[in-house]
């Protein structure tokens, strides 16, 4: 059985197939010729962290595919009271056809897949955010017409987004340069993986070095969910890691800017750069819907 636990588990072919399917589903939805690929199926959506885009796009996506989605907040289920994930997995597998989970530990997502018997989709952990990165790759390909040979740069925290972008970009034939302060580097599992790709992956301390000649420039918040108490320390640590006009002047002239949202204007990105690239950023947000519908069809269709 296939899951989407992290992009490290997927082949380049898996990614490409889902991106093609996402384009097809977007076309079908826009032209009112959408088919009910998941009629009668139910997706459980476990949320142990907040969400706007992930929750709405999965729920609407499942509805558009002819199925239904159940919102399961950890506050109102036994998950929040400590019922072991091994048991939750075996119970929910008997009611549902797939589970999307947003939580802290990657190990919880892996355990759901190990003990359950239905496809599991990672809707964000502290380690990675694969659904977001599939939507990002879809958006880049839509705007630039290809992925292979393009250069992406990511400025900021070595967080779930940076981890998934490194893997997704390299598996799609892109090169990626990141810039992060000391002690905020991406996960070692990711840098180990990236070694196979030689100088297609580069890590810098200064944003200027990373952004040179980029086709795509990406950032994310400096304090992720669960790190709110460190927010002030992080604002200091990331001083100088802002995407602003001066930095963008070093990227290619037709470079696009992406941000998974929510964005903190004046911190990781200026309001000017954000608004100049709002069309791309909100297309990216829309593409969460199409890319996740593709993931669900890929994993859950009979
Ligand atoms: N980008 C993203 O995952 O947004 P939400 O936290 O609103 O789901
Ligand atoms: N890095 C952010 C992404 C939010 C979609 C977080 O984990 O909060």
């Amino acid at each position: 059985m296939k899951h989407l636990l992290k992009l490290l588990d997927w082949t380049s072919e898996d990614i490409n197939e889902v991106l093609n399917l996402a384009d097809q589903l977007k076309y079908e939805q826009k032209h009112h010729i959408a088919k009910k690929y998941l009629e009668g199926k139910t997706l459980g959506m476990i949320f142990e962290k907040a969400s706007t885009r992930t929750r709405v796009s999965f729920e609407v996506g499942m509805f558009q595919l002819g199925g239904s989605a159940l919102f399961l907040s950890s506050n109102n289920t036994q998950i929040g009271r400590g019922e072991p994930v091994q048991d939750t997995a075996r119970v929910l597998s008997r009611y549902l056809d797939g589970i999307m989970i947003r939580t802290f530990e990657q190990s919880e997502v892996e355990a759901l897949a190990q003990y359950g018997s239905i496809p599991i989709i990672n809707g964000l952990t502290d380690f990675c955010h694969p659904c977001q990165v599939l939507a990002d790759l879809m958006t880049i390909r839509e705007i630039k017409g290809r992925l292979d040979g393009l250069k992406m740069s990511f400025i900021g925290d070595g967080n779930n987004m940076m981890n998934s972008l490194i893997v997704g970009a390299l598996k799609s034939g892109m090169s990626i340069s990141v810039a992060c302060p000391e002690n905020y580097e991406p996960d070692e599992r990711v840098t180990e993986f990236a070694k196979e790709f030689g100088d297609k992956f580069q890590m810098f301390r200064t944003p200027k070095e990373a952004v040179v000649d980029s086709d795509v420039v990406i950032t994310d918040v400096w304090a992720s969910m669960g790190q709110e108490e460190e927010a002030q320390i992080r604002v200091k640590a990331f001083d100088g890691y802002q995407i602003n006009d001066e930095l963008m002047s070093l990227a290619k002239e037709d470079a696009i800017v992406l941000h998974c949202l929510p964005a903190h204007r004046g911190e990781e990105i200026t309001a000017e750069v954000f608004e100049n690239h709002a069309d791309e950023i909100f297309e990216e947000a829309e593409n969460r819907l199409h890319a996740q519908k593709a993931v669900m069809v890929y994993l859950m269709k009979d």
Side-chain angles (χ1 to χ4, degrees):
M1 175 175 308
K2 262 193 186 303
H3 304 282
L4 176 55
L5 309 180
K6 54 189 181 299
L7 287 179
L8 280 172
D9 301 334
W10 274 28
T11 62
S12 301
E13 289 71 33
D14 287 322
I15 294 174
N16 194 45
E17 213 171 307
V18 163
L19 296 183
N20 290 343
L21 188 53
D23 287 347
Q24 180 196 325
L25 293 173
K26 184 170 185 176
Y27 180 89
E28 289 177 1
Q29 195 64 34
K30 301 269 181 204
H31 291 82
H32 310 288
I33 52 169
K35 299 182 190 76
K36 308 281 184 204
Y37 294 102
L38 296 180
E39 190 148 29
K41 305 250 183 205
T42 309
L43 178 80
M45 308 187 300
I46 302 173
F47 281 94
E48 299 189 54
K49 289 180 177 177
S51 170
T52 298
R53 280 146 288 269
T54 305
R55 178 184 174 178
V56 176
S57 54
F58 265 106
E59 194 162 335
V60 169
M62 200 54 188
F63 178 75
Q64 290 179 354
L65 290 167
S68 39
L70 281 179
F71 175 69
L72 303 166
S73 158
S74 58
N75 298 332
N76 304 318
T77 57
Q78 300 289 6
I79 297 163
R81 297 182 59 243
E83 181 165 10
V85 65
Q86 297 94 314
D87 297 354
T88 305
R90 283 176 286 187
V91 172
L92 294 183
S93 291
R94 288 169 184 256
Y95 305 137
L96 301 168
D97 302 289
I99 295 175
M100 191 287 311
I101 176 164
R102 166 168 287 197
T103 189
F104 294 86
E105 298 289 333
Q106 179 68 18
S107 57
E108 195 177 332
V109 179
E110 307 272 344
L112 262 189
Q114 187 185 342
Y115 288 93
S117 52
I118 54 175
I120 306 298
I121 301 168
N122 182 338
L124 181 146
T125 59
D126 292 346
F127 174 59
C128 63
H129 198 0
C131 291
Q132 179 69 53
V133 169
L134 289 171
D136 292 3
L137 294 172
M138 178 185 178
T139 310
I140 297 165
R141 203 172 74 158
E142 205 172 11
I143 298 172
K144 296 285 180 193
R146 68 193 168 105
L147 293 173
D148 196 44
L150 295 183
K151 176 180 172 180
M152 177 190 288
S153 54
F154 184 97
I155 309 304
D157 191 15
N159 63 10
N160 42 17
M161 278 304 300
M162 191 193 280
N163 287 336
S164 286
L165 283 166
I166 293 170
V167 178
L170 293 174
K171 287 199 179 200
S172 304
M174 300 179 75
S175 62
I176 172 161
S177 291
V178 303
C180 50
E182 205 177 340
N183 300 324
Y184 294 93
E185 290 91 357
D187 192 281
E188 270 181 23
R189 286 166 283 182
V190 169
T191 48
E192 267 311 299
F193 162 80
K195 278 186 186 157
E196 286 172 37
F197 293 82
D199 63 5
K200 283 190 139 192
F201 170 66
Q202 293 193 293
M203 186 154 62
F204 297 102
R205 287 285 170 239
T206 73
K208 284 184 178 171
E209 289 172 286
V211 92
V212 170
D213 285 336
S214 290
D215 298 283
V216 188
V217 181
I218 309 186
T219 189
D220 184 19
V221 290
W222 292 337
S224 286
M225 289 181 277
Q227 298 173 331
E228 290 79 5
E229 283 179 9
E230 301 167 33
Q232 286 316 312
I233 298 169
R234 286 175 162 266
V235 166
K236 286 202 184 86
F238 288 99
D239 187 27
Y241 285 80
Q242 183 185 66
I243 297 190
N244 51 35
D245 285 331
E246 192 193 340
L247 192 64
M248 285 307 297
S249 70
L250 299 171
K252 289 216 179 109
E253 214 174 302
D254 62 351
I256 64 168
V257 173
L258 298 181
H259 191 309
C260 66
L261 304 175
H264 289 183
R265 291 166 175 78
E267 291 190 10
E268 75 273 6
I269 190 165
T270 59
E272 291 75 19
V273 172
F274 186 95
E275 292 305 335
N276 280 340
H277 293 274
D279 287 349
E280 296 137 26
I281 292 169
F282 291 107
E283 197 66 35
E284 173 191 17
E286 175 183 327
N287 284 341
R288 293 293 303 279
L289 172 68
H290 309 297
Q292 285 157 198
K293 283 169 72 180
V295 169
M296 290 191 284
V297 171
Y298 193 57
L299 301 180
M300 292 168 64
K301 190 168 168 289
D302 291 327

